[in-house]
Each structure stands twice: as C-alpha cells, then as structure tokens.
C-alpha cells in the first residue's frame, strides 16, 4: 500500500496510491509522525518515509539536489523490504 501525504495546495494523484492532505505545519518529520500516530495499531511491517524526490548521494548545504545517501547505497535499497531477511538496514 502507498500513502502520499502532501502539504501542497495541489494534491498529487498517483494511480494506486492513497493521497491525504496535511496542514502546512512542521517539516517532513511532522508528516512521518502523523502517519505513525494515526496508524499505530496497523503499521506495515516495512515502512519507508521519504521526501518528494528520491535522494541522491551526499549533502550540499542549501542545494535542492541534496542527497543524504551514503556510499554504496541507492534509494532502491530502501524500497526492498527485509533485505537479506533483515528487518532493518544500517548504512
């Protein structure tokens, strides 16, 4: 299941995804916490929280192309539930 939370004026529509508008308060952590609190008793076994665009490698202060990924890790690595049977991954 895919849920998209958006604080934008225009709600994105993506086939097969549930969309839910949120008030434009806080940052992405507000959206993440909203999901956890609202779904606490029915959380998925694997949940991925991400900003609107997939991250890339590195951190460039003040740049829109910031990545926050470490070496040898791709965004796709986060999309595979239970890599090698593990319930989490350390990067």
């Amino acid at each position: 299941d895919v849920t998209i939370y958006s604080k934008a004026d225009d709600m994105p529509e993506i086939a097969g995804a549930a969309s839910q508008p949120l008030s434009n308060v806080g940052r992405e952590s507000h959206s993440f916490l909203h999901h956890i609190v609202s779904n606490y008793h029915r959380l998925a076994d694997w949940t991925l929280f991400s900003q609107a665009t997939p991250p890339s490698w590195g951190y460039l202060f003040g740049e829109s192309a910031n990545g926050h990924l470490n070496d040898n890790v791709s965004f796709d690595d986060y999309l595979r539930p239970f890599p090698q049977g593990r319930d989490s991954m350390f990067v």
Side-chain angles (χ1 to χ4, degrees):
D1 295 345
V2 175
T3 303
I4 298 172
Y5 296 99
S6 178
K7 297 179 180 186
D9 292 333
D10 297 321
M11 178 57 77
E13 294 183 25
I14 297 179
S19 296
Q20 181 175 348
L22 293 178
S23 299
N24 191 11
V25 296
R27 297 183 56 107
E28 65 271 9
S29 57
H30 167 263
S31 304
F32 304 162
L33 186 59
H34 170 83
H35 177 82
I36 293 168
V37 170
S38 297
N39 297 284
Y40 186 76
H41 294 292
R42 60 180 182 277
L43 288 170
D45 291 336
W46 186 269
T47 301
L48 171 73
F49 295 106
S50 178
Q51 294 177 329
T53 57
S56 59
W57 181 86
Y59 181 79
L60 305 171
F61 183 74
E63 296 287 328
S64 62
N66 281 334
H68 307 296
L69 287 179
N70 291 328
D71 290 338
N72 301 318
V73 178
S74 73
F75 186 66
D76 291 341
D77 292 330
Y78 292 95
L79 299 177
R80 281 188 230 111
F82 307 107
Q84 290 84 41
R86 297 174 295 175
D87 66 351
S88 59
M89 56 189 269
F90 180 76
V91 294

